Amino acid sequence: MDLRLSALNYVTSIKNGDFTVEEFIEKTLERIKDVDEKVHAFLQVSDTALENANKIDRRIKSNDKIGKFYGMPISVKDNMCVEGTITTCASKVLENFIAPYTGTAVSRLEFDDAIIIGKTNLDEFAMGLSTEFSAYGPSRNPWNTDFVPGGSSGGSAVSVSANECIASLGSDTGGSIRNPASFCSVVGLKPTYGLVSRYGLISYANSIEQIGPMTRTVEDSAFLLNSISGVDSNDNTTVEKSHHDYLQNIDAGISGKTIGIVSEMTNSDGVSTEVMNATNNSIKTFEKLGANCEEMSLGSVPYAVAAYYTITSTEAGSNLARYDNIRYGYDFDSEGFEFNSYISKARKKLGPEVTRRMILGGFVPSAGYAGKYFLKALKVKSKLTAEINNAFKKFDFLISPTVPIQPFKFGEKIEDPVSFMLIDFNTVTANLTGKPAISVPYENSNGLPIGIQIMANSFEENKLFQAAYALEKTVDLPEVPL
Amino acid sequence: MVKIGLEIHCQLTKLKSKLFCSCKADYREFEPNMNICPICSGIPGSLPLLNQNAVEKATTIAMALNCEIPEKIAFFRKNYFYPDLPKNFQITQLNAYGDTSIGSRGKISINNKEIRIRRIQLEEDPGRLIYEGATERTKITLVDYNRAGTPLVEIVTEPDFENPGEVRIFLNVLSDLLENLGVSDPGLEGAMRADANVSIEGGVKVEIKNIGSFHDLEKAVHFEITRQQSLHERKIEIIQETRHWDDRRKITVSSRSKEEEGEYRYFLESDIPWVNIRSDTKDQLKTTMPENISSKKERYISKYNIAPQVADILASDKYYSELFEKSHSENDAKDIANLITTDLMGLVDTREKRDSSKLLATHLSELVDAIAKKRITRTSAKDILQDMIKTGNSLSVILEKSDLNQISNHDELSKIISDVLLNEENAANEARLKPETINFLVGKVMQKTKGKADPIITLEILKEKLGI
Ligand SMILES: [Zn+2]
């Protein structure tokens, strides 16, 4: 039994009776036991997984109708509520928060008979891109454990990459799915805003974030999206999906399609030589596949990171305001506390990055400064959206490296917040404009992965998968050395 | 000149559910924290789900107050810390970035004066803090989120009032209007709250918050004008500030806490998509909107020849006008109107009395009919009404039980009157000399018949017997 199976192959094997769900889950749990102390993908591993596997096996034996995941182990980023489980957001503030309900994306997976194998590590409240800001210690890159796995959905990427599960759900506010997907050599999709319900996702910057699949293959990504997408009565921002089966025609190819190479994201100083080379190779591949590639410009991209941090900090300052020690994280005596010192003490459990953004979030939208910062950021957002909408009149896809650099070592970047923020340079545009974007593993240089990002117009995930699938079929990447 | 502006918060108590979840809008019956869910208690990961009925009710209010209604409305977050606020922000509306609140620039007239409405917004009520031991200085403060998320409409006026009397009239008109629209029950405790801002000639604007009832609002405004005028006379500067109404001492007190000063970091609530207020929805609401109070009043006067004061009382009170509408016919409208405003009014003047009343519209028409046919006297009508309210019995049942049929039989009355005249010889003699004193004798006859004697026939017989 091979734990490296894709989701689709897993389903075939279960249907063929190659092994039982229980056998697979048992082996998965052993794998987690073996490797997770090295990579720390999980904050929590399910203690009911085996029992659930057994139940599904019995249903299979009695020829009951089984959901399309057939007991497949899927991990979930620990900022999504699963009823009865502690949901921490990798923060000390929520270390005892037991979710009283299950969010929509997870419950749709469960409805289709997935087994939620555990909750994965992240940067505290999804703020970060290396998992170094997790209050429970960082996750490690399975390709080389001296290196960060990316983030904030680092634990999810690691769990798939290190064969601790078949797929995972991450969330992406400014690249949090695509960045660790690129760093860990998995497929990561940030769907169009509104395609996947956010009900149960603990908000960080609610106007731009989405839940999305992190998988071994592009097909698996489509397979998971089929289950989790679509309108949800618990999230007023969701819309009816236009495609009911993203797997259909996924192999249609991209012959004759036009691809724009976003020059701001591809030819800037911030892009490393290895990443630049990989990107150029991918362009040649796309051309070989019959697509017409052309360099193009999105003029507002250089302002996107600043706009992104301004908007997300504003929303974070509001979304996290409820963690005020009255209802969450309560552990000290309020006796004698004057208001301001009470609030500052109440929030002492928040880590450094969250604190930084809460402070920024209290400032940039405040009276007297909103015009200079927050409202200007909104202008960049709408200008960028107009630019990208215009670009999609001409191009089917826009491509760039997912991240301008390869994984870095722990502690290497954390001391310089601004250069840290610039790592998001290529990913934030999809969030600010609501467009879908996918990171596809493309190369491996010096033992570390490089991913290529493809963006498409809103709700054109089917096309996006076709391009990603075509690219994926051209690569032959090594096995993870773990 | 004194300038007074108002901010009125009115709960949409007639809605079934809260503004963003399916918990009950009527939270008053529940034990603390038993009318909550992940959404209204701000549990992480929950999202607000807009109650479309609340948008409709608010639209109706905006239309009734002659406001401009935008094509699209949006919601904003007002960020501030307070323990009764589960998310530490309130979802409300804002006009700072264009008109996106449910209503703008409306007007309503009171006593021939026009009061301008600046803005109407739809928003959520916070929860409630309960200070154990009933003082604000006790150690323990309890939080009850049952009220959190209750739909509120905030109505902001321009500073068009010049004295507390106008404020009172406006509040009466407004609460009658809201009740008439069927959106709110202003009589419910806490359903209507208000803040006021007050400035005197040459002064600055002072806000008064925390006014729990309309009754106190008038008092608070009066106090504040007097305070500012006396400062002005003594040449002491009036400070622009927020003051609280101290309910027990009946004075306004300066709020010292800095954190209440308005730094709310307003921004768009993107969890709630913009809502289109379609013109066909507005048309639909307009046709189903209850008749407004002033046109109702006009109709009562012109169609039934009802006196203006009577028509005013009837039209502005939803309970009375509903009774009237259900009970009257073309012929007895005026009598029913009079019966309601003279006899019934004192009997059902509180919410509790109305709630427990068993009176039906048919009771009123029966009663008016019986008076017209002289089966009962006008005097006994009130006793019968009281009985109807208490028991819900029909007129015939009540008459059978208590023998309140009017004595209009000539012979029977004649015998009674003879007896009275025998006992009241002095009065009879006086009446012969001074006919205006005859009322004393009529009163005696009424006393003897327990009010059942027909007063007109009684008077005729008395005059006949006394030879006047
Ligand atoms: Zn609720």
Side-chain angles (χ1 to χ4, degrees), chain B residues 246-259:
Chain B
D246 185 326
D247 193 28
R248 272 175 304 146
R249 292 190 288 163
K250 306 292 176 201
I251 57 169
T252 65
V253 192
S254 181
S255 318
R256 266 146 295 175
S257 45
K258 268 272 192 313
E259 62 272 11

Side-chain angles (χ1 to χ4, degrees), chain A residues 460-478:
Chain A
E460 290 191 342
E461 274 80 357
N462 62 320
K463 268 173 74 178
L464 191 61
F465 284 133
Q466 287 167 357
Y469 181 85
L471 185 68
E472 179 189 50
K473 288 295 157 200
T474 67
V475 300
D476 186 18
L477 293 168

Side-chain angles (χ1 to χ4, degrees), chain A residues 21 23 69 74 97 298 406 411 454 462:
Chain A
V21 178
E23 281 163 1
F69 294 117
I74 296 179
F97 170 61
L298 290 173
Q406 283 188 282
I454 312 170
N462 62 320

